[in-house]
Amino acid sequence: MSSAVLTPGTAALVLFGAFFLLLILRVPVAFALGLASLPVLLIEPRLSPMVLFNEMFKSYNSFILLAVPFFLLTANLMNVGGITDRMLRLSRALVGHFPGGLAQINVLLSVFFAGISGSSTADAASQGKLFIEAQVKEGYDLSFSIAITAVSAVLAVIIPPSILMVVWGGVISTSIGAMYLAGIVPGLLIGLAQMATVHAYAKKRNYPVYPRAKFSEFLQAAAVAIPALVTPVIIVGGILMGWFTATESAAAAVLYAAVLSLVVYREINATQFWEAVVDTGKLAAVALFCVGTASVFGWLMAYYQIPKALLSNVQDLGLGVVGVGLLIALAFLVVGCFLDAIPAIIIVGTTLQPLAESVGMHPVHFAIVGIVSLAFGLITPPYGMCLMISCAVAKVPLRFALKDTLIMLIPMLVVLCLVIIFPDICLFLPRMFAPDMVK
Amino acid sequence: MSTLLRLAHQLLIALLGITVLVLMVPVSMQIGSRFFEWIPNYMWTEEMSRFFFIWMVMIGATVGVREGLHFDVDIWANPSPALARFLRWASRLLIMGFAGVVLYWGIEFTKFGWNQTSELADLPMWMIFIAWPVAGFFWIAFLIEKMLVDSERDDQHGMHL
C-alpha cells in the first residue's frame, strides 16, 4: 500500500528479524509469530493491535479448521480403542518376514494409519510409544528406530484423509476430494521408498527378521482388520459421492472410529475415552493457536505486498512447470524447517499460488507438491514436529537421530522430484475417478 | 495461591474436553440431516460449532502455557546452565508481554463486540471475544507461577539472575 509508512523491505526486515530473534530466545513459535507482528502494528499509524484480534478471530472462525480436532480425535480413538493393534497384527503378517521386520511393520502400519488418521503428529506420538523401545530391545539402533518412526509418520498427511489437504483446500480453494485422490499414489510410493531404505539398512546392519506368518494367520489378521481398513474408502468415497463435505468427513471418521472402538472391538473404557478427548483438545489447540498468530503475520506480509516483491524476480526467470515446481518444493522445504505445516500453508502457500498459476501448473499438482514438501518439513530440523515428538518419546535431543533421518529423507526426495516432473503420478487417479474435480 | 491455580487448571481441562465433545454434535447433525428426515437441519449449528471451536483453541492454548506444550525451536546445542536460565527467563518475560497485549487490547476487543450479535444464532459477540482477555489473564497467572517456582529453585542453588 502506497500510504504505508514502512516500505516492503523495512517491514519484511522488522517482521522476520523479530521472528528469528524470538526463536533464538526460545520463545514458542506461536507466540513468536504474534510478538513479531506487534512492532509493525504499533509503528504503522493505520494499523493497531486490533488487527491481531481481528485476524486471529477470522482464522479460527472457520468451519474448515474443525477438521483438525476431529482428525486428532480419530487417531486417539484408534490408539486406545484397539484399531491400531489390529492393523499392527495385519502388518506383521504381511511384512514381518522381510529383513528388518519390525521396522517394516513400523512403515506399513503408518500407511494403514494414514488411511484413517489425517495427522502425522498423532502418528509419530502413538507409534513412537509402540515401536522405538521395542525395536531397540530387538537390537535395532536407537537413532535408526527414532528416524524411521518419524519419517514414516509423515505419510499420514499425504495419504488421505489429511489435515493439510483440508486446510489447503480452505485457504487456496482447491478441491479436497481431488487432492485426496491425488495423494494416494505419491503416498504409497514414499512408503515403498521407506521400506526399501529399511531393507538396505537391515541388510547392512543385520537387523532381525520374524518367521513368515502362515497364510491362515494372515487371513485371520486381515479379517479382523477389515472394518478398520475400509475407513479411507468410506471417507474418500463419501466425499466423492456427496455424502459429506471434507470437514464433515473428519467428523464421520471420528464417528466411525468411535463405533469401531466402542461397539465392534470394545476395548475402550470411559476414562480412556475422556483422556483421548482431552488430549485431542490440547494438541489441536496448541497447533491451531499457532494458525491464528501465523495468520496475523501472513496478513501483515500481504499488507506490505512482501510476497509480490519477493516473487517479482522469480517471474523474470522464465521457468517452466518443472522449474517452478522444484522452486515451490524448495521454498516449502526451507519454510518447513522453521514453521509447522498449517501456518506455512497460510503464509507461503497463498504467496506461491500466483506463481504456480502463471506457469500453468495444475492446482492439484501444486497442492500435492506443496503438501509433500511440507510433510517432509515435519522431520527436518530445527522445527520438525514428528522428529521432535519421536525424540521426545525416546528422551534424547533432536540432534541424536538427525543423521539417519536425513539419510532416509533422500529416497523420499527422489519421489518428490518424480511427482514434480511427472504430474500424472498424482493426477491420474483424480482424472479417472473424479474428472469434474480436476476440470 | 498455587492450589487456586491448580484448580483453575483442572477446570480449564474439563472445559476443554467438553468443547471438543460439543463440537461433534452440530457437525454430526449436519451429516445426519442429509440422510434422516427426523434430524433437523438448523443453520445456526454451524455457527455454534465455530464459536465452541474458538473457545476450544483459546482454552487449550492456556492449558498449553501451564503444561509447557507450545513448541519452541531447538537451536541451542548444549546451553550452559547460565544461558539456559537466561533463555528461560527471556522467553517467559516475552510471552508475558504478549499476554499483556492480549489482555489489555482484548478488553478493548470485547467492548467493541458489546453491542454486536452473530449473524445466524443472534448470539452476543462479546461472549466469543472475551475468550482473548480471559486467556491473556490466565497466561499471566500461570507464567508468574512458573517464575516463582523457578526463582525459588534458583535461590536454593544460590544462583541469581
Side-chain angles (χ1 to χ4, degrees), chain A residues 18-104:
Chain A
F19 178 57
F20 282 107
L21 182 70
L22 290 161
L23 289 189
I24 291 170
L25 290 171
R26 300 205 68 167
V27 174
V29 178
F31 290 94
L33 285 166
L35 275 167
S37 306
L38 280 178
V40 178
L41 288 176
L42 292 169
I43 294 169
E44 193 67 58
R46 284 167 165 245
L47 303 178
S48 84
M50 276 303 177
V51 171
L52 189 82
F53 297 91
N54 279 326
E55 289 309 307
M56 280 177 87
F57 173 75
K58 259 199 278 175
S59 67
Y60 300 152
N61 193 20
S62 128
F63 192 62
I64 281 180
L65 286 180
L66 277 169
V68 175
F70 292 160
F71 279 135
L72 286 170
L73 185 55
T74 309
N76 283 338
L77 287 176
M78 281 167 67
N79 292 331
V80 293
I83 298 175
T84 308
D85 290 346
R86 279 163 183 82
M87 294 196 299
L88 178 68
R89 251 170 267 163
L90 178 64
S91 310
R92 165 154 185 186
L94 281 169
V95 296
H97 58 284
F98 290 4
L102 190 55
Q104 301 283 13

Side-chain angles (χ1 to χ4, degrees), chain A residues 273-296:
Chain A
F273 180 76
W274 179 248
E275 271 168 13
V277 169
V278 169
D279 192 53
T280 301
K282 286 181 196 171
L283 266 177
V286 168
L288 289 162
F289 179 63
C290 193
V291 172
T293 49
S295 303
V296 181

Side-chain angles (χ1 to χ4, degrees), chain A residues 24-26 28-29 35 50 53 60-61 66 70 243-244 248 251 277 282 285 288-289 382 385 388 399, chain B residues 17 23-24 27 30-31 34 46 50 53-54 60 67 71-73 76-77 91 94 98 105-106 108-109 139:
Chain A
I24 291 170
L25 290 171
R26 300 205 68 167
V29 178
L35 275 167
M50 276 303 177
F53 297 91
Y60 300 152
N61 193 20
L66 277 169
F70 292 160
W243 293 345
F244 28 73
E248 290 168 0
V277 169
K282 286 181 196 171
L288 289 162
F289 179 63
M385 286 293 287
M388 285 157 88
R399 258 158 245 96
Chain B
L23 279 183
M24 278 299 295
V27 185
Q30 264 185 43
I31 304 175
R34 230 164 281 151
E46 197 228 302
R50 278 186 277 122
F53 179 68
I54 292 171
E67 297 187 11
F71 278 96
D72 55 36
V73 177
W76 299 91
S91 84
L94 284 162
F98 189 69
W105 271 285
E108 296 291 305
F109 187 52
W139 292 346

Side-chain angles (χ1 to χ4, degrees), chain B residues 41-57:
Chain B
N41 180 16
Y42 295 126
M43 281 295 284
W44 54 263
T45 54
E46 197 228 302
E47 190 174 65
M48 280 297 268
S49 46
R50 278 186 277 122
F51 289 168
F52 276 105
F53 179 68
I54 292 171
W55 270 101
M56 184 204 82
V57 174

